[in-house]
Amino acid sequence: MTTVAPSGGTRERTSLAAGIGAVPPERAGARPTGRPRRFGGRFRILVAAAVTLVFVAPIYLMLVNAFKSQDDILANPITPPWPPTLENVTQALTRPDNLIPLGLRNSLIVAVVSVALLVPLGSAFSFYISRRRGRTKAAILVAFAAGLMIPPQVTLLPTIKILTWIGLDHTYPGLILSNLGGGYLSFAVFVYVGFMRSVPDEIIQAARLDGASGLRVWWQIVMPLVRPATATVVIFLTLWIWNDFLNPLFILGPLQGQTITTGLYLTIGQYSVDYGQLFGIMFLAGILPVLGYLTVQKQFVAGLTSGASK
């Protein structure tokens, strides 16, 4: 005799079959809701925006106030210039003491001559170091690392003493000579050494077999291969030398119009400040570095991103 199962058994079999493909409760509970990720992404965006604002705010204030009158700057330095005026820039360029034209000219000469000497010195020395092995190379790199770590204020007084001893104090050749040592040369050496290590030895050995001297190999073969490194070194060193304040102030002495940074310092009065002219001078001082960066920006970006795809 056949017995018919109760309807409750059918429910059990149905629930058992459905439970075979069901997701375990612990896995189902681990399903992301998306809220923590959204909160973390928004927090990072806010932090990035705050950091960007810190760096952009001084540039914004300089740009908007360079084309505003003194009264408008004192009333509200944040608002854009309306109507804009070129009076600040014109007054800065037509000062009776020629402070700004002389400062721009002297800063340009000092920066160009210093970098023009630092690039071949740093690259040639780096080429020599990159082809050496052993403890001698490590000792030389440690010495250059000390040049980067020691603050320039510590070596300023000994540098002035040496320049006085050789008769180059209060001179532009003395200022250029002081730029050839210390952290500037160390930075150039470390950048070039990292790039020259990637130059294959086969290329250098083939050039030597063809009769090329070491000087020719360095200048005609290695230097074209490390062109991004040269652009990186040129941009950084030019900006650092252009913005240098202590060396021109103490090495050259109280000479008006010596460099653009010390010229900017001389425009600040003891009891009153012409902010319009001050921002105009700051605007003029920032034009040349920006134009120089735009000229070699492709090589500069290539130098920073080299090796990222290796």
Side-chain angles (χ1 to χ4, degrees), residues 115-172:
V115 173
L117 294 174
L118 283 168
V119 167
L121 285 175
S123 60
F125 202 80
S126 301
F127 177 65
Y128 173 80
I129 296 176
S130 63
R131 301 301 149 185
R132 294 294 179 270
R133 299 292 185 271
R135 297 180 179 180
T136 303
K137 175 182 177 180
I140 295 175
L141 291 178
V142 168
F144 278 104
L148 283 175
M149 293 183 290
I150 297 176
Q153 295 83 0
V154 176
T155 60
L156 181 58
L157 183 59
T159 301
I160 296 175
K161 293 291 185 181
I162 295 174
L163 293 177
T164 304
W165 181 65
I166 62 178
L168 291 179
D169 58 318
H170 297 85
T171 62
Y172 289 100

Side-chain angles (χ1 to χ4, degrees), residues 9-92:
T10 306
R11 294 196 196 99
E12 291 180 1
R13 287 193 296 270
T14 304
S15 60
L16 180 62
I20 294 176
V23 180
E26 59 273 10
R27 292 183 59 186
R31 187 175 181 180
T33 59
R35 293 180 181 178
R37 290 186 178 180
R38 292 175 185 173
F39 177 76
R42 291 175 182 176
F43 179 74
R44 286 193 293 267
I45 292 175
L46 291 176
V47 172
V51 173
T52 304
L53 182 62
V54 170
F55 284 95
V56 173
I59 301 176
Y60 170 79
L61 291 176
M62 183 268 293
L63 289 176
V64 298
N65 292 318
F67 303 99
K68 292 165 63 175
S69 63
Q70 176 82 352
D71 296 335
D72 293 339
I73 295 174
L74 295 177
N76 193 345
I78 301 178
T79 58
W82 190 258
T85 177
L86 295 176
E87 184 178 357
N88 298 327
V89 178
T90 304
Q91 289 181 356

Side-chain angles (χ1 to χ4, degrees), residues 73 82 89 108-109 113 137 141 161 176 195 199 201 205 212 216 227 238 310:
I73 295 174
W82 190 258
V89 178
L108 185 62
I109 292 175
V113 175
K137 175 182 177 180
L141 291 178
K161 293 291 185 181
I176 294 172
F195 275 83
V199 177
D201 291 334
Q205 295 299 330
R216 188 176 180 182
R227 191 175 301 166
T238 302
K310 294 181 181 181

Side-chain angles (χ1 to χ4, degrees), residues 212-294:
S213 62
L215 183 63
R216 188 176 180 182
V217 170
W218 160 69
W219 183 251
Q220 294 186 351
I221 297 177
V222 176
M223 287 301 291
L225 295 176
V226 295
R227 191 175 301 166
T230 302
T232 304
V233 171
V234 167
I235 287 180
F236 275 104
L237 293 185
T238 302
L239 289 176
W240 289 344
I241 295 174
W242 182 273
N243 295 326
D244 189 16
F245 176 73
L246 288 179
N247 283 342
L249 182 65
F250 288 96
I251 293 177
L252 294 179
L255 300 176
Q256 285 194 352
Q258 47 189 353
T259 60
I260 190 61
T261 52
T262 53
L264 182 64
Y265 172 72
L266 292 174
T267 60
I268 301 176
Q270 183 176 2
Y271 301 103
S272 63
V273 179
D274 187 352
Y275 290 103
Q277 189 174 142
L278 181 63
F279 283 111
I281 296 173
M282 293 172 63
F283 174 76
L284 293 173
I287 287 180
L288 293 181
V290 171
L291 293 178
Y293 169 76
L294 294 177

